[in-house]
Amino acid sequence: MRRESTVRYSSRLPIGLMNELVVEGLIGSIQARFTDVVGPEVCFYTIPYSKNHHNVLGGHMWTVPESSHMVLSKYAYPSCPDAEQVVILTLTGQNIMENEIKFLHKVLRDPAGQEEFELLALKWVSQLSQRQAQELNPFEIGDREWQNSVQSLTSTPALILALRRVRAFITLRQQLPHNYPGSLRVLMSPTPETAFRQTCLFFSEAELVPDHSSRPLLKFLPPHHIDTTGHSLYSYMTLGPQPLLTLALFKPGAWRQCFGKILTLIKQNGYTLVGLRVLLLDSTMASALIHSPEKQDPTEELEYLRSGPSLALGLLRVNAVMRLWELMGPEDPIEARTVDQTLWRAQFGSDRLHNGIYGSRSYRNAIEDMKLLFPSGVCCAETSLMRYEQISSLQSDPEASLDHDHLHTSQTAVKFSSEFGQVPAGPLVCTALCQTTCLLIPSSLLQQSQPPLFSELLQRLFRTGCHLLAGRLCMLDKKQRRHMCELLRASAGEELLHEGPCLAIVLQADNAATCFDIILERVCRERPDFRRVTRKLLYPRFKKEAVKLLCYLFDDFGLDSHHRIALQ
């Protein structure tokens, strides 16, 4: 800094800056790092200017890197608004600190206090070069304003800032002046590709310094010390963020009649289904998922979680943990409905205890949840984060077994009642015609573009009297695929099952095993487009085939079933 009698005035500068930190409410986060009272000397240090000091602290701090080595055409520049994005903001003009300081303050300080931009780097350039001005120019080469704007930019200094946050481009664009680009005093990189080019033009990789303390959403992301790929921020901008795992658990009573709708919501929000289980939580699992406030007895919630079968979903997508929390909404469904009727807890919950869905609360919590509910692994290609966290990528189904098939059979479930004697245990379907069958949905249907027709078909089946008892996502090896095709007598089945993981669900209804073709045909008469789905579905045509397939894939159908798996 330069002014008359700088050395004399510089002693007062740290005190003024500390007062400004107090006004902005920033002194608390600084004080938390120290046990003693924080004075100006902790945060600021002034020394007289000398060439030696200047060189030690960086020399010509307006020097830009040589970027001719960057081969821009080989990059794809993937960018997801729900993940952290890097954007370049440029302020120009002869009096930047006087004219644009309020705008810069608004950008860096979120008035709502929820999420702010993280400042990665900034650089003062006394005069932009021709190439720099062309790169920052908001106009296209063919536009009439292009040449004049290049000349204007090369005649003024510029302050370039590299900023990062979730939805960075959308957020910064909303804060731009209404007449943007107007007088060219405020400019931003409009796309991830231009942001990368401008970053390479003004900053070296060493000059991009993350500030993890200013990332409030860090708990939803892998810790910064986990370097799974060895990549820098440059690489992050060109390769994109890695997809993350998270758990969504639909609680007892909230999912059975909405199973198809749930799968549709998963697909619509960009998630890939990598694990699915219908299970009755034991006390260990239920206790691990309970998050009761202090001084609140968790017994009631524990009993509720163990009162019936739950639907556990392993989900994969960029920024999976935070996005799921946004979709679920407040823990109290009544409050969620006042915020947005489309929030998942507003749709599937009734009160704070029966709020419909549990979601992992942080990245670390998500990893623990996935290991707890899917200990064998998940049905997707291995990522470097999965390798680091020791979560397996399944290559075969650990439960499908020929030995299990040969030793078990399906029987009618009974339970003892002193008043009525022995009566069928399954409350869903209790007629003499009740049958249980297995429906296989291959990967090609699971990966259908939106909206997924198979989930609509499932909802129709539930309305016609079919009841969902159990289900899981399976990754079958060659031997398992061949055996299942032999059971089903389906020559095209192995090709369908070879495409990726398949969803196996247990359905119960009158004549479900022997007349499932007729049930499907009845549904297709109402919706002819469902035939595109039914042609790819795999299911047994006879009761004996259904029993063998069910015993091959499942250990149990749950407490609601009219039938059960038993030793022969």
Side-chain angles (χ1 to χ4, degrees):
M1 294 177 289
R2 181 174 63 183
R3 66 160 291 174
E4 186 179 350
S5 303
T6 303
V7 176
R8 181 160 62 92
Y9 287 110
S10 64
S11 61
R12 304 176 188 174
L13 183 60
I15 299 174
L17 292 172
M18 286 295 289
N19 291 336
E20 188 67 21
L21 290 179
V22 173
V23 171
E24 295 296 326
L26 298 174
I27 199 66
S29 59
I30 299 173
Q31 179 69 62
R33 307 175 192 176
F34 301 91
T35 56
D36 299 329
V37 177
V38 175
E41 68 281 355
V42 174
C43 301
F44 304 102
Y45 186 65
T46 60
I47 54 173
Y49 173 84
S50 70
K51 287 187 177 180
N52 183 50
H53 288 147
H54 189 192
N55 292 332
V56 169
L57 294 173
H60 295 291
M61 288 175 273
W62 52 85
T63 303
V64 296
E66 173 57 50
S67 58
S68 59
H69 66 284
M70 300 300 299
V71 183
L72 301 178
S73 60
K74 69 178 183 180
Y75 300 121
Y77 309 102
S79 183
C80 173
D82 291 330
E84 288 183 316
Q85 300 173 311
V86 178
V87 64
I88 299 297
L89 172 66
T90 302
L91 307 178
T92 67
Q94 297 297 336
N95 298 302
I96 294 175
M97 299 312 293
E98 293 180 14
N99 298 329
E100 311 304 334
I101 191 65
K102 289 185 179 179
F103 172 78
L104 184 58
H105 184 273
K106 183 178 74 169
V107 169
L108 295 178
R109 296 286 291 160
D110 179 17
Q114 296 178 347
E115 184 183 357
E116 302 168 354
F117 278 99
E118 173 193 4
L119 179 61
L120 295 172
L122 75 163
K123 182 169 289 187
W124 175 270
V125 179
S126 57
Q127 185 174 8
L128 293 171
S129 67
Q130 186 83 5
R131 181 184 176 187
Q132 292 167 346
Q134 291 173 351
E135 184 58 55
L136 296 174
N137 198 327
F139 300 105
E140 298 292 336
I141 292 180
D143 292 344
R144 183 175 54 186
E145 301 92 340
W146 188 80
Q147 188 60 45
N148 291 335
S149 58
V150 170
Q151 295 176 358
S152 175
L153 290 171
T154 54
S155 63
T156 63
L159 179 65
I160 298 95
L161 302 95
L163 308 173
R164 177 168 68 174
R165 63 162 283 169
V166 174
R167 303 182 184 96
F169 290 91
I170 296 173
T171 305
L172 185 57
R173 198 172 289 119
Q174 291 173 344
Q175 300 190 41
L176 292 175
H178 296 300
N179 64 340
Y180 181 84
S183 60
L184 305 178
R185 288 185 175 180
V186 177
L187 303 170
M188 71 165 282
S189 51
T191 66
E193 180 180 355
T194 52
F196 177 71
R197 291 204 310 262
Q198 292 176 14
T199 302
C200 295
L201 195 61
F202 291 103
F203 303 105
S204 66
E205 292 190 66
E207 290 175 310
L208 298 172
V209 183
D211 178 13
H212 302 298
S213 64
S214 67
R215 299 168 71 187
L217 302 181
L218 198 60
K219 70 173 185 176
F220 298 114
L221 304 172
H224 57 86
H225 66 268
I226 299 181
D227 186 9
T228 57
T229 58
H231 291 141
S232 63
L233 276 167
Y234 268 18
S235 298
Y236 177 86
M237 295 174 71
T238 54
L239 300 177
Q242 284 202 58
L244 306 179
L245 291 167
T246 194
L247 173 75
L249 183 114
F250 287 82
K251 300 178 182 180
W255 60 272
R256 199 188 295 272
Q257 296 303 317
C258 307
F259 183 71
K261 179 181 178 180
I262 290 170
L263 296 181
T264 298
L265 289 173
I266 295 300
K267 186 70 175 179
Q268 287 176 340
N269 286 281
Y271 283 99
T272 299
L273 188 66
V274 298
L276 184 148
R277 288 180 66 192
V278 175
L279 76 164
L280 190 65
L281 296 175
D282 58 31
S283 56
T284 302
M285 290 179 176
S287 299
L289 300 178
I290 288 177
H291 178 63
S292 297
E294 292 183 11
K295 300 181 180 180
Q296 182 174 322
D297 186 4
T299 305
E300 188 179 10
E301 187 174 0
L302 184 64
E303 291 177 354
Y304 165 56
L305 287 176
R306 300 186 63 198
S307 64
S310 297
L311 174 66
L313 303 179
L315 305 176
L316 180 76
R317 66 157 279 172
V318 170
N319 207 12
V321 186
M322 188 196 81
R323 182 56 181 151
L324 181 59
W325 266 83
E326 291 177 342
L327 292 169
M328 291 191 303
E331 291 197 19
D332 188 347
I334 298 175
E335 182 184 350
R337 291 187 194 102
T338 62
V339 175
D340 188 345
Q341 293 281 348
T342 63
L343 293 173
W344 290 7
R345 283 185 173 133
Q347 298 181 61
F348 300 108
S350 57
D351 55 52
R352 194 174 186 87
L353 176 63
H354 307 87
N355 62 4
I357 179 174
Y358 163 89
S360 302
R361 302 177 188 89
S362 65
Y363 169 81
R364 180 49 49 199
N365 188 227
I367 296 300
E368 294 169 356
D369 290 344
M370 292 298 295
K371 289 181 177 180
L372 178 69
L373 274 298
F374 299 96
S376 300
V378 293
C379 302
C380 66
E382 185 182 61
T383 65
S384 56
L385 280 173
M386 285 172 55
R387 193 181 312 117
Y388 179 88
E389 300 290 0
Q390 298 181 342
I391 294 178
S392 301
S393 171
L394 291 176
Q395 303 302 315
S396 65
D397 192 277
E399 297 182 34
S401 166
L402 284 173
D403 294 336
H404 191 265
D405 178 14
H406 294 152
L407 293 174
H408 294 78
T409 187
S410 176
Q411 298 179 354
T412 300
V414 294
K415 66 179 180 180
F416 182 76
S417 169
S418 59
E419 183 178 355
F420 300 102
Q422 289 187 340
V423 295
L428 296 177
V429 184
C430 296
T431 70
L433 298 176
C434 176
Q435 294 177 348
T436 306
T437 191
C438 182
L439 179 63
L440 299 177
I441 303 172
S443 181
S444 58
L445 292 179
L446 297 178
Q447 297 173 2
Q448 263 186 350
S449 58
Q450 301 175 1
L453 270 179
F454 81 89
S455 58
E456 293 185 46
L457 174 63
L458 289 178
Q459 285 299 112
R460 290 294 182 103
L461 288 174
F462 300 150
R463 288 200 288 268
T464 61
C466 290
H467 297 273
L468 177 64
L469 300 178
R472 61 191 189 86
L473 197 65
C474 310
M475 180 67 80
L476 304 170
D477 60 27
K478 185 176 181 180
K479 184 178 179 181
Q480 291 169 335
R481 292 195 301 269
R482 186 182 299 119
H483 177 70
M484 289 177 62
C485 291
E486 291 172 358
L487 288 177
L488 295 169
R489 303 178 188 178
S491 57
E494 188 169 357
E495 182 179 347
L496 288 172
L497 296 175
H498 182 70
E499 296 171 346
C502 70
L503 178 60
I505 60 174
V506 179
L507 296 175
Q508 200 165 80
D510 288 347
N511 300 314
T514 54
C515 299
F516 199 66
D517 280 327
I518 298 174
I519 295 173
L520 287 178
E521 180 60 30
R522 191 183 307 136
V523 173
C524 288
R525 285 198 205 105
E526 301 174 5
R527 285 281 303 271
D529 55 333
F530 283 159
R531 298 187 192 280
R532 301 203 309 266
V533 176
T534 58
R535 284 194 291 265
K536 295 184 178 182
L537 294 177
L538 298 172
Y539 51 90
R541 263 67 176 182
F542 304 99
K543 187 175 180 180
K544 185 177 180 180
E545 293 176 359
V547 170
K548 285 186 172 292
L549 185 59
L550 288 167
C551 293
Y552 183 67
L553 288 175
F554 292 91
D555 292 323
D556 191 18
F557 302 152
L559 299 176
D560 297 335
S561 176
H562 187 70
H563 302 102
R564 64 183 175 86
I565 302 267
L567 288 171
Q568 296 195 75

